[in-house]
Amino acid sequence: MNETLVTLVGNAATGVEFRETATGGMARFRFAVTPRRWDREKQLWTDGHTSFFTVWAWRTLALNLSGSVSVGEPLVVHGRLKVREEEREGQRRTFVDIEAVAVGHDLTRGTAAFRRVLRGEPGLTAPVGSVERAGASAEPEGGAGADGPGGSGGPDRSGSRRSTGRQKAVQELASVP
């Protein structure tokens, strides 16, 4: 099957809407892409016409998006281009969707701190206030906290893994009203 894969650079135009489905999580948000060009006559950058896309994500990507992306944040979206036409109120309309394969913050416009989500710790990227998804244990079995002995989160001399700041982040997310 031929698929059209695209990579877009722009901004999140809406918040991420997350829903649980029978096959896993589903998320969507609107994405704005505005091209810029150098105007030689005026000697300044000018914005072109803004295009809007609906970005769809499934399963783990959907859950991680819901806890990581806010309105206005610069993003890079990579995924399958889907164009559909519908008739609404007697008018034919065209919609352009992106079924996301990968989404990340655009590091040319800021910095980000990556936190790996371990299986069984879905609360780390749960939307703020979602206590149901943040129910994962914040402390590993018998482990020390982030400021425990050694503190860096790497394996200690006995070969077992110490906890990192991830567990603290889960607690913080779960405690926000």
Side-chain angles (χ1 to χ4, degrees):
M1 174 198 294
N2 290 332
E3 295 180 331
T4 304
L5 291 172
V6 295
T7 301
L8 303 171
V9 177
N11 294 303
T14 65
V16 177
E17 297 175 29
F18 179 82
R19 292 192 187 125
E20 285 289 342
T21 66
T23 60
M26 181 275 301
R28 72 174 180 186
F29 66 97
R30 296 285 285 163
F31 188 62
V33 177
T34 305
R36 300 198 71 188
R37 66 175 183 83
W38 179 252
D39 186 334
R40 288 184 188 175
E41 293 175 10
K42 296 179 183 175
Q43 293 295 306
L44 53 89
W45 288 96
T46 59
D47 289 341
H49 175 72
T50 301
S51 298
F52 290 91
F53 302 87
T54 300
V55 177
W56 296 87
W58 304 96
R59 293 173 287 288
T60 304
L61 177 57
L63 182 60
N64 291 344
L65 273 173
S66 68
S68 302
V69 173
S70 299
V71 175
E73 291 183 345
L75 301 173
V76 178
V77 174
H78 180 73
R80 294 174 199 88
L81 181 67
K82 307 280 184 175
V83 179
R84 59 189 167 88
E85 291 188 17
E86 292 181 11
E87 190 164 327
R88 289 187 181 176
E89 301 168 5
Q91 290 186 334
R92 200 108 175 111
R93 298 190 50 153
T94 303
F95 298 92
V96 182
D97 298 336
I98 307 297
E99 188 176 311
V101 172
V103 177
H105 286 97
D106 182 357
L107 298 180
T108 62
R109 296 191 272 164
T111 63
F114 180 77
R115 292 180 311 268
R116 185 174 304 277
V117 176
L118 301 175
R119 292 186 191 258
E121 280 192 54
L124 182 59
T125 57
V128 174
S130 176
V131 178
E132 303 84 50
R133 279 195 292 265
S137 172
E139 188 74 11
E141 296 174 25
D147 11 1
S152 71
D156 63 15
R157 292 183 187 170
S158 67
S160 65
R161 270 195 80 76
R162 289 188 300 263
S163 65
T164 65
R166 289 185 211 112
Q167 287 81 17
K168 187 175 180 180
V170 170
Q171 285 177 328
E172 290 171 2
L173 282 172
S175 66
V176 175

